[in-house]
Amino acid sequence: METRKLPIGIQTFEKIRVGNYVYVDKTAFVWKLVSSSAPYFLSRPRRFGKSLLLSTFESYFEGRKDLFEGLTIGQLEKEWNVHPVLHLDLNAEKYDSPEGLYAILDRYLKMWEDRWGRGDGESTPAGRFFDVIRRACEQTGRGVVVLVDEYDKPLLQALGKDNALLEDFRDTLKAFYGVLKSADRYLRFVFLTGVTKFAQVSVFSDLNQLSDISMWPDYATICGITLEELKDNFQPEIEQLAATNAMDVGEVVKKMTTLYDGYHFYQNAPGVFNPFSVLSVFTSKVFGRYWFQTGTPTFLVELLKQSDYDLRELLDGVEAPASSFTEYRVNVDNPIPLIYQSGYLTIKEYDKEFQNYLLAFPNDEVRYGFMDFLVPFYTSLAEDERGFYIGKFVQELRVGDVDAFMKRLRAFFADFPYELNTRTERHYQVVFYLVFKLMGQFTGAEVRSGKGRADAVVKTPKYIYVFEFKLDGTAEQALKQIDDKGYLLPYSVDNREVVKIGVEFDANERNIGKWLVE
């Protein structure tokens, strides 16, 4: 079977089309957007196809009809007018000083000025930007197209680390992007992308004409791959993946859906697969955590370090009105907006009556990758040790060795460094939570933080384990609560052996103390 070329890591539309790479046709969205002259903004997570989308706009406005043959827009467009295009990409740079941002803007401005000329009166980046837009329009007689990729990258790199630098970046970018309003009469089309839409840093305060299409239903699938697109465009790759892994095609699609699908950018909109993970699994033929392993953004790491947010709520899903997560406000006590906009949470349900959303992990790649990412914040275990512990936990419960499981769990807590031993009760509750949640990828493990349910339930082929932990009580009280609260009732008709485990936490030792098994 012939191996087709997959555009993994390729973000240039021309390169994909000329190189005969597989391309999922998104040009119907492009046509709809370019049919108006409104300026647009789109927020999507990293590695989700934003750069390729902007490159597609660029090729369209350069009149590259040859690149669109066979695509939807090729059947719709008749004129293919050529417009001057100013494409600013802030994605692949490191911004650690005011001079760094200025140097990047200066580099792009010089490139544009080499093409369209420069006047003697303007010296600021904003002034030069306005001047080059005006010149390009006057020289061609056509409106200018401005495309900005990852407009917020400098802001995100300074977030939580250097307020003075953040303020400097904000002032520079506010003035620079503000040109897009004052130069409106010279512009044909404007499109900005980024991870976040900041509310308090005021970058958008002068751009109130921007149409934010991030949660518009018509554009919910403009980035990413729908299930239908997966089946229509990647059938040969699905068949090869099935053959390599001794699976049938249906099993492959189901597993890919569990791992990589589930992103929703509007209530009740079709889910989309992460395109980077899809292309990666087809290339490697190994089911892995590709998007997550490209690196958790530094700004999110810093925010979580500062946050006192109860992460158990995050792991089970968070209810929130749209206003609380669509715009990011710098508040270390609520990391949810940035976690959502970064792609670690997505829309799963919508309550129309109260206009509340349920935000949760989109799929297993993100769910278990994010929990693995959290473990170092709560323990001192290295990455290879974490996998070893979780694997042993599962194996011991599968064979019914509860004592071995509890001794290993005690060792897990004993490995906490001293500074972690001074943490609050919530810290230890989160650790219990993470352990059982991570076990869930290998066995039927459920863990709850609310009242009226057992703290944790683990289901294996032979056993059902019901755990109750007491941070301020005894193992005997824990067992009694299992009985008194009827925690076993849901499993009364199950043929597996039900095992009750009551555990007490030793406050002096900061570790698991006594446990009882029935």
Side-chain angles (χ1 to χ4, degrees):
M1 185 180 296
E2 180 183 357
T3 300
R4 301 191 300 172
K5 297 167 68 175
L6 300 178
I8 185 168
I10 300 177
Q11 302 173 347
T12 306
F13 180 73
E14 179 183 12
K15 186 174 181 179
I16 288 175
R17 298 295 288 167
V18 172
N20 197 31
Y21 288 86
V22 176
Y23 174 71
V24 177
D25 189 356
K26 298 287 186 177
T27 60
F29 295 110
V30 171
W31 169 255
K32 187 170 183 176
L33 288 165
V34 301
S35 296
S36 77
S37 295
Y40 294 102
F41 170 73
L42 176 69
S43 169
R44 286 294 184 268
R46 60 193 170 87
R47 298 265 188 170
F48 234 89
K50 300 189 298 294
S51 297
L52 176 58
L53 177 64
L54 288 191
S55 179
T56 308
F57 283 127
E58 183 172 17
S59 293
Y60 168 81
F61 281 112
E62 288 177 342
R64 294 296 306 275
K65 180 180 179 180
D66 57 309
L67 299 179
F68 294 89
E69 291 183 5
L71 301 179
T72 301
I73 199 171
Q75 304 167 14
L76 298 171
E77 180 58 71
K78 306 301 180 185
E79 297 181 356
W80 295 100
N81 293 322
V82 177
H83 293 262
V85 178
L86 307 181
H87 188 168
L88 173 63
D89 183 0
L90 297 179
N91 186 47
E93 302 292 343
K94 184 177 182 180
Y95 302 94
D96 51 12
S97 69
E99 294 76 20
L101 174 58
Y102 182 86
I104 299 305
L105 296 179
D106 183 62
R107 187 177 73 199
Y108 275 95
L109 287 165
K110 285 180 177 178
M111 178 176 65
W112 299 332
E113 289 164 346
D114 286 344
R115 173 66 179 85
W116 304 108
R118 177 178 179 177
D120 297 329
E122 296 294 346
S123 59
T124 66
R128 293 167 62 190
F129 190 32
F130 181 92
D131 201 38
V132 78
I133 290 172
R134 177 182 59 81
R135 286 175 178 271
C137 180
E138 291 175 348
Q139 290 177 28
T140 62
R142 294 193 181 276
V144 176
V145 173
V146 176
L147 308 172
V148 182
D149 198 4
E150 305 289 4
Y151 90 96
D152 53 352
K153 189 66 176 287
L155 302 169
L156 292 174
Q157 288 198 358
L159 181 66
K161 293 185 293 186
D162 189 331
N163 289 333
L165 185 61
L166 180 65
E167 187 79 8
D168 193 284
F169 285 165
R170 183 196 69 176
D171 292 343
T172 299
L173 292 176
K174 179 182 178 183
F176 192 82
Y177 296 140
V179 169
L180 298 175
K181 185 171 185 178
S182 57
D184 179 70
R185 61 188 180 278
Y186 303 116
L187 295 170
R188 163 64 177 85
F189 185 77
V190 173
F191 202 99
L192 280 72
T193 74
V195 171
T196 67
K197 184 178 180 184
F198 282 85
Q200 289 183 334
V201 293
S202 303
V203 168
F204 281 116
S205 61
D206 293 336
L207 283 177
N208 51 17
Q209 85 276 28
L210 275 181
S211 294
D212 181 1
I213 64 172
S214 304
M215 290 185 65
W216 287 16
D218 286 355
Y219 300 105
T221 61
I222 191 172
C223 292
I225 299 170
T226 66
L227 179 60
E228 182 180 0
E229 289 170 336
L230 182 79
K231 294 177 178 179
D232 289 346
N233 291 273
F234 296 101
Q235 193 62 33
E237 287 73 26
I238 293 173
E239 292 174 358
Q240 290 177 8
L241 187 59
T244 302
N245 289 273
M247 303 167 68
D248 63 40
V249 167
E251 289 174 325
V252 165
V253 172
K254 183 177 180 180
K255 188 172 182 66
M256 289 187 66
T257 301
T258 299
L259 283 172
Y260 310 122
D261 192 10
Y263 294 89
H264 297 266
F265 300 104
Y266 177 77
Q267 62 265 26
N268 305 320
V272 292
F273 289 73
N274 182 308
F276 181 77
S277 294
V278 166
L279 295 177
S280 296
V281 73
F282 284 148
T283 301
S284 68
K285 300 180 178 61
V286 176
F287 294 100
R289 297 176 187 167
Y290 297 101
W291 178 78
F292 204 95
Q293 290 171 350
T294 58
T296 301
T298 303
F299 60 82
L300 186 55
V301 175
E302 295 299 324
L303 186 66
L304 286 172
K305 284 181 179 179
Q306 299 175 46
S307 174
D308 190 39
Y309 189 83
D310 188 347
L311 290 169
R312 291 174 297 168
E313 297 182 23
L314 170 65
L315 301 183
D316 278 339
V318 180
E319 288 191 3
S323 59
S324 70
F325 65 88
T326 55
E327 292 187 347
Y328 180 64
R329 292 171 172 81
V330 184
N331 180 359
V332 297
D333 292 328
N334 181 20
I336 296 304
L338 200 52
I339 295 175
Y340 164 79
Q341 294 183 1
S342 300
Y344 297 94
L345 295 176
T346 193
I347 296 170
K348 286 297 184 180
E349 295 178 10
Y350 177 66
D351 186 322
K352 186 175 181 180
E353 180 180 3
F354 298 103
Q355 298 184 341
N356 277 339
Y357 293 81
L358 175 65
L359 307 179
F361 294 122
N363 50 50
D364 279 358
E365 176 188 21
V366 177
R367 177 179 295 106
Y368 295 116
F370 193 84
M371 286 189 283
D372 273 336
F373 159 73
L374 288 176
V375 170
F377 290 94
Y378 293 89
T379 79
S380 61
L381 292 178
E383 183 175 356
D384 55 345
E385 293 178 306
R386 299 199 296 273
F388 173 80
Y389 267 86
I390 298 301
K392 287 296 183 181
F393 286 149
V394 173
Q395 291 171 4
E396 286 156 355
L397 291 184
R398 282 176 178 170
V399 299
D401 196 344
V402 178
D403 283 341
F405 172 85
M406 293 305 303
K407 288 175 182 176
R408 191 176 302 279
L409 190 58
R410 176 185 278 169
F412 187 86
F413 277 90
D415 199 36
F416 285 11
Y418 174 78
E419 59 269 21
L420 288 179
N421 286 338
T422 62
R423 296 283 181 91
T424 64
E425 177 180 295
R426 180 191 294 172
H427 176 88
Y428 296 94
Q429 292 171 331
V430 170
V431 173
F432 285 131
Y433 222 58
L434 285 173
V435 167
F436 284 97
K437 284 288 189 181
L438 284 168
M439 287 170 58
Q441 61 193 303
F442 305 108
T443 188
E446 304 169 359
V447 57
R448 296 287 183 268
S449 60
K451 296 180 180 179
R453 302 285 297 273
D455 285 334
V457 176
V458 179
K459 302 174 184 177
T460 70
K462 293 183 179 180
Y463 304 96
I464 295 178
Y465 299 95
V466 179
F467 290 85
E468 185 66 26
F469 293 92
K470 285 293 183 183
L471 290 168
D472 54 358
T474 66
E476 289 82 1
Q477 290 173 329
L479 282 180
K480 187 174 186 299
Q481 181 169 325
I482 292 175
D483 291 331
D484 292 347
K485 298 289 186 179
Y487 294 160
L488 303 183
L489 289 177
Y491 318 108
S492 58
V493 296
D494 198 292
N495 293 325
R496 287 171 285 188
E497 182 179 345
V498 180
V499 181
K500 299 183 296 183
I501 303 145
V503 185
E504 65 185 57
F505 192 81
D506 189 322
N508 293 325
E509 294 294 327
R510 295 285 180 176
N511 205 328
I512 290 172
K514 180 181 177 182
W515 65 84
L516 294 173
V517 181
E518 289 185 3

